[in-house]
Amino acid sequence: MGVGSWELGVSKIQSVRIAIDARKLRDYGIGTYVRNVLRHLSRIDRSTEYVLLCREQDCSIAGQLGENFRAVPETSPAYSIREQVAVPMDLRREGADLFHAPHYVLPPLTPCRSVVTIHDCIHLQFPQYLPNRLGYAYARSALWVAAHRSARVLTVSEASKRDILRHFSVPSAKIDVIHNAIDERFGETPSEEDVSRVRERYQLNDPYVLYAGNIKPHKNLERLIEAFHLLRRGGLDHVKLLIIGDEISKYATLRRAVHRYKLHQHVRFFGFVPDRTLAVLYRLAGVFVFPSLYEGFGLPPLEAMASGTPVITSNVSSLPEVVGDAALLIDPYDPSAIEGAMRRVLTEPALRDDLRARGLARVKEFSWDRSVRRIREVYDEVLSA
């Protein structure tokens, strides 16, 4: 079925009811994926009935999406035993024909056909980042069920598809690679009022290096802080480092790294910021650095590129696939390599301009509209099987 032809498929399947797990709507990462899938489904499909399993505080989202969207409260904690029973009960009660689990938890008792999105295999690649062996056992069993019990598996990069095939014996044809894309607002030029507001609120009076994303061990921020220390020690002592991400308080090692290098006046942690503010912070940054050790896709580098900001990122996992030739690729395990790349971008205007131009061209290759149309096609293929 070609792009756009799913509308014909809908007419062949009467009274279709598709349920989507939207409990992670407010998260980074998966939350960004869920928000964009729902937003674009609401634009391209006004006939299918969608049932959204939501946290109670998020049930109003259905009214914003359209008359064919309906929210059902589901309070089970993510990755809990309770959700293994509660979610299938919701699906049975609502008469769902298809269930889309947008992360790797697919309850074995799911009573209808299912599509699951496995963004990455990080828990299997880096089990040391899980709290205990029980966490590893849960992650592996949940991923096994998702890969084997679903009708189709969606993933977000060829690198993630290779990882899934390496860990689980499923047919390659069962896995569809459908890339993520960026939120449209990152390609829009912020108003002068927004820029002034952000500059004043965050006191952005010096050039800065920016990181934005989750604050987890595999994001490799301790090495970024060490590389920033080397950058300042090498003469660029007027530059600041801004780290944006949730749950910073959980990782005391980052604070300790800042104090080890006496950088407490030069490294700033902002925590979560709204997308509108983040779009301005991207545009004002001298360089965006994303030294992650593993990514299923890695949206922040694309968001930075769309904002006209030069990007430095890792030469591992999916990141080279995502950024192409539009970023400087570094060995994320080598702080001196990270430092050298930052120094080049901050001191070589020609390189900065070249990366900016390449980045703006690169982001045009990714489209949420195109990706969600393909997801909708997969729904029809599963329902018609």
Side-chain angles (χ1 to χ4, degrees), residues 208-210 223-232 236 239-241 286-290 312 328 330 335-348 351-352:
Y208 62 87
V209 174
L210 179 65
R223 288 191 181 94
L224 174 58
I225 291 169
E226 181 180 350
F228 178 67
H229 163 66
L230 296 175
L231 183 73
R232 288 182 53 82
L236 295 182
V239 178
K240 307 296 185 186
L241 172 61
V287 60
F288 179 77
V289 186
F290 196 74
I312 297 167
L328 286 187
I330 47 85
S336 64
I338 303 172
E339 184 271 341
M342 289 193 293
R343 182 175 299 279
R344 286 190 62 199
V345 174
L346 292 171
T347 60
E348 299 178 23
L351 174 62
R352 213 162 41 240

Side-chain angles (χ1 to χ4, degrees), residues 35-75:
R35 290 191 298 273
N36 280 285
V37 167
L38 296 181
R39 182 181 301 131
H40 286 271
L41 281 174
S42 74
R43 294 178 181 178
I44 66 175
D45 186 0
R46 292 293 186 179
S47 57
T48 305
E49 182 181 355
Y50 290 96
V51 177
L52 310 180
L53 307 187
C54 294
R55 302 295 180 203
E56 289 188 10
Q57 65 267 33
D58 295 328
C59 284
S60 61
I61 186 68
Q64 301 168 29
L65 293 169
E67 294 181 355
N68 56 323
F69 286 78
R70 180 165 53 86
V72 172
E74 177 47 65
T75 59

Side-chain angles (χ1 to χ4, degrees), residues 92-147:
R92 191 175 297 278
R93 184 181 63 248
E94 299 300 327
D97 300 297
L98 177 73
F99 175 52
H100 183 182
H103 54 112
Y104 66 77
V105 177
L106 178 66
L109 298 175
T110 298
C112 56
R113 295 175 184 177
S114 60
V115 172
V116 64
T117 303
I118 300 177
H119 297 262
D120 57 52
C121 294
I122 187 166
H123 296 319
L124 307 184
Q125 302 285 113
F126 293 91
Q128 65 269 31
Y129 295 150
L130 289 166
N132 49 50
R133 291 184 180 180
L134 184 61
Y136 175 78
Y138 179 90
R140 183 164 187 83
S141 62
L143 283 163
W144 189 96
V145 170

Side-chain angles (χ1 to χ4, degrees), residues 61-308:
I61 186 68
Q64 301 168 29
L65 293 169
E67 294 181 355
N68 56 323
F69 286 78
R70 180 165 53 86
V72 172
E74 177 47 65
T75 59
S76 299
Y79 315 115
S80 67
I81 294 175
R82 181 176 157 195
E83 72 176 345
Q84 300 295 323
V85 177
V87 169
M89 288 178 64
D90 292 336
L91 299 175
R92 191 175 297 278
R93 184 181 63 248
E94 299 300 327
D97 300 297
L98 177 73
F99 175 52
H100 183 182
H103 54 112
Y104 66 77
V105 177
L106 178 66
L109 298 175
T110 298
C112 56
R113 295 175 184 177
S114 60
V115 172
V116 64
T117 303
I118 300 177
H119 297 262
D120 57 52
C121 294
I122 187 166
H123 296 319
L124 307 184
Q125 302 285 113
F126 293 91
Q128 65 269 31
Y129 295 150
L130 289 166
N132 49 50
R133 291 184 180 180
L134 184 61
Y136 175 78
Y138 179 90
R140 183 164 187 83
S141 62
L143 283 163
W144 189 96
V145 170
H148 288 86
R149 295 292 297 274
S150 61
R152 290 282 273 282
V153 174
L154 309 182
T155 194
V156 293
S157 66
E158 294 291 344
S160 282
K161 179 173 180 175
R162 289 193 296 271
D163 289 342
I164 295 167
L165 291 173
R166 183 164 60 250
H167 288 287
F168 303 104
S169 298
V170 295
S172 177
K174 182 178 181 176
I175 306 174
D176 288 82
V177 175
I178 303 176
H179 288 131
N180 289 335
I182 61 163
D183 193 294
E184 296 164 350
R185 74 189 67 192
F186 290 108
E188 300 171 356
T189 302
S191 67
E192 291 185 11
E193 181 182 353
D194 279 347
V195 173
S196 298
R197 172 183 57 81
V198 172
R199 276 192 186 277
E200 182 176 351
R201 178 177 178 183
Y202 295 102
Q203 295 296 295
L204 301 175
N205 301 316
D206 297 299
Y208 62 87
V209 174
L210 179 65
Y211 167 86
N214 286 317
I215 307 297
K216 294 181 178 178
H218 73 278
K219 299 298 186 179
N220 202 31
L221 296 184
E222 286 186 65
R223 288 191 181 94
L224 174 58
I225 291 169
E226 181 180 350
F228 178 67
H229 163 66
L230 296 175
L231 183 73
R232 288 182 53 82
R233 194 176 67 180
L236 295 182
D237 55 2
H238 62 296
V239 178
K240 307 296 185 186
L241 172 61
L242 272 56
I243 295 177
I244 299 172
D246 56 350
E247 300 180 351
I248 286 173
S249 60
K250 290 185 177 180
Y251 298 99
T253 55
L254 295 185
R255 297 284 186 186
R256 286 197 293 269
V258 167
H259 286 284
R260 183 187 317 134
Y261 298 115
K262 298 180 173 60
L263 293 171
H264 53 281
Q265 293 183 340
H266 310 292
V267 178
R268 301 174 64 186
F269 297 96
F270 284 178
F272 176 85
V273 298
D275 283 350
R276 187 173 169 183
T277 298
L278 180 58
V280 175
L281 292 171
Y282 275 133
R283 288 176 180 271
L284 295 179
V287 60
F288 179 77
V289 186
F290 196 74
S292 179
L293 302 178
Y294 180 85
E295 292 293 323
F297 186 82
L299 271 176
L302 280 187
E303 293 173 349
M305 288 178 180
S307 304

Side-chain angles (χ1 to χ4, degrees), residues 7-27:
E7 290 94 338
L8 299 176
V10 170
S11 63
K12 299 176 185 178
I13 304 169
Q14 300 301 317
S15 303
V16 172
R17 184 172 295 169
I18 297 174
I20 300 175
D21 187 349
R23 290 176 296 156
K24 285 182 169 285
L25 192 69
R26 293 173 182 252
D27 288 16

Side-chain angles (χ1 to χ4, degrees), residues 292-331:
S292 179
L293 302 178
Y294 180 85
E295 292 293 323
F297 186 82
L299 271 176
L302 280 187
E303 293 173 349
M305 288 178 180
S307 304
T309 304
V311 170
I312 297 167
T313 193
S314 305
N315 60 2
V316 298
S317 68
S318 66
L319 290 164
E321 175 185 342
V322 171
V323 301
D325 65 352
L328 286 187
L329 297 178
I330 47 85
D331 176 359

